[in-house]
Amino acid sequence: MTWYRMLGRAVVMTTMILSTCVPTSVHAAPPTPAVLALRLRSPDAGTPPGPNGTVQFIGTATVLIHYQGFTILTDPNFLHKGEDVHLGYGITSERLTNPALGLEQLPPIDLVLLSHFHDDHFDKLAQEKLDKNIPIVTTKEAAEHLKRIGFKRTFGLSTWDRIDVEKGEARLRISAAPGRHGKAGMQLLLPPVMGAVLDFGPNLAAPSHRMYISGDTLIYDDLKAIPQRFPDVDLALLHLGGTRILGVFKVTMDGKDGVKLMQIVQPKKAIPIHFDDYDVFKSPLSDFAREVKDAGLERQVVFLAHGDTYTFTPSER
């Protein structure tokens, strides 16, 4: 028996055992969300930012968001075609594409938003070459790991925690949203993940733009709380790919799941990301496109190739 099959059998058995050991929920009051604060260096005098914002798709779950003077990098992954990432338990995955930009081509970054710590979301290049003083907003577990490898400004959030960011007169609130990387016991073998809601502007009751980033989640009941807490999402970035570990365990949304999440969150526009870049991604973008068409949601979806940019305008509320 090869090591791959032995590992697969071990993971299957572990998952079966853990799935029977997941504790049942108890009716306790949820913890009060933590509120953190981050003050960024005020921009130098110069041309003020324009009214519109942009999302540039770099590849996999990596995007650049520019809006109201903020420049945000998500899930930095800059490996090239043919290079491998390590996903734990001896499992690797080969990159099938190149990023639209190299790490050295990035503009000055205000903060990194990281859904979880996996090599295909924070690769070895980012670990080695990103400025160790750059603020990183992520899960509590990922924040601690990043501290251990030298990053000095990490901000760990649990679900519904938030961080208020200031840069001169600009304001941004990032709230951690639910995410689950695997079903039942399988999630215990994977790092915790978070989605994120980004509210831009000083008026949180009527943000100038509300963006939701799903993170590497599957569909589960906790996601239904997102539109209750954060209605009127202007733009959703959906992590798709139908990632399957050992070819068996689905740990990210496939095309059908992506449509289900759109129907839950009901964004005005949605952009699919995190697809077709690694050999563990088993649900191609065409799956999502077909499901979108069948659901009659074509007008709500924007498809970006690597390097493409989507421009958005302030919301009218």
Side-chain angles (χ1 to χ4, degrees):
M1 183 181 294
T2 66
W3 72 267
Y4 185 88
R5 290 182 178 177
M6 291 174 65
L7 177 62
R9 177 172 293 183
V11 172
V12 170
M13 293 178 65
T14 303
T15 302
M16 292 174 63
I17 294 169
L18 289 174
S19 65
T20 65
C21 299
V22 175
T24 57
S25 61
V26 294
H27 296 286
T32 302
V35 181
L36 309 181
L38 170 61
R39 180 170 293 177
L40 301 173
R41 181 175 176 271
S42 297
D44 296 329
T47 305
N52 296 336
T54 61
V55 172
Q56 184 181 18
F57 181 39
I58 308 303
T60 188
T62 309
V63 303
L64 273 173
I65 301 167
H66 297 279
Y67 189 47
Q68 293 186 345
F70 291 105
T71 299
I72 301 165
L73 175 68
T74 71
D75 295 62
N77 181 229
F78 293 93
L79 296 183
H80 283 72
K81 183 177 180 179
E83 295 183 286
D84 290 339
V85 291
H86 296 271
L87 302 177
Y89 306 101
I91 301 169
T92 62
S93 180
E94 179 183 349
R95 182 146 191 179
L96 306 176
T97 63
N98 288 316
L101 293 177
L103 195 59
E104 69 283 352
Q105 296 173 290
L106 292 175
I109 302 297
D110 289 311
L111 65 88
V112 171
L113 181 59
L114 177 63
S115 63
H116 67 296
F117 195 92
H118 250 163
D119 270 9
D120 61 325
H121 291 258
F122 202 94
D123 65 25
K124 59 187 178 185
L125 291 176
Q127 294 173 44
E128 294 171 1
K129 296 184 178 182
L130 271 182
D131 181 353
K132 295 300 188 292
N133 290 305
I134 193 168
I136 303 176
V137 179
T138 185
T139 64
K140 286 183 176 294
E141 291 78 8
E144 290 302 316
H145 184 88
L146 289 166
K147 285 180 182 177
R148 291 195 293 271
I149 61 175
F151 288 90
K152 298 178 174 64
R153 302 180 71 191
T154 64
F155 299 84
L157 305 180
S158 297
T159 301
W160 308 127
D161 287 351
R162 60 185 187 263
I163 182 167
D164 291 333
V165 187
E166 298 181 7
K167 184 182 180 184
E169 298 299 317
R171 299 291 183 271
L172 165 66
R173 172 169 286 181
I174 301 174
S175 303
R180 180 177 289 175
H181 210 346
K183 291 184 177 180
M186 189 64 190
Q187 66 174 309
L188 301 178
L189 302 175
L190 295 164
V193 304
M194 74 175 198
V197 177
L198 285 64
D199 283 326
F200 293 90
N203 184 359
L204 294 175
S208 63
H209 194 81
R210 172 168 282 168
M211 185 181 302
Y212 165 63
I213 305 175
S214 73
D216 277 14
T217 190
L218 296 178
I219 299 297
Y220 73 118
D221 284 346
D222 288 9
L223 299 176
K224 295 176 183 178
I226 295 171
Q228 297 172 6
R229 290 174 176 257
F230 300 100
D232 302 320
V233 169
D234 296 295
L235 177 64
L237 306 183
L238 307 177
H239 289 209
L240 302 178
T243 308
R244 290 185 180 271
I245 300 299
L246 300 171
V248 177
F249 300 103
K250 185 172 72 172
V251 295
T252 67
M253 294 184 294
D254 57 21
K256 187 180 292 291
D257 296 328
V259 166
K260 288 180 181 177
L261 187 54
M262 286 184 64
Q263 292 167 335
I264 291 170
V265 177
Q266 299 184 15
K268 296 174 185 175
K269 294 288 183 180
I271 297 174
I273 61 176
H274 194 270
F275 57 83
D276 296 349
D277 287 293
Y278 281 94
D279 61 9
V280 290
F281 295 174
K282 300 302 183 183
S283 177
L285 182 62
S286 57
D287 285 355
F288 179 64
R290 183 181 63 253
E291 295 292 341
V292 165
K293 183 177 180 180
D294 289 347
L297 297 174
E298 297 102 315
R299 292 186 179 182
Q300 292 174 237
V301 178
V302 177
F303 293 95
L304 298 180
H306 288 189
D308 285 354
T309 296
Y310 170 72
T311 300
F312 58 87
T313 58
S315 181
E316 296 182 2
R317 301 189 189 278

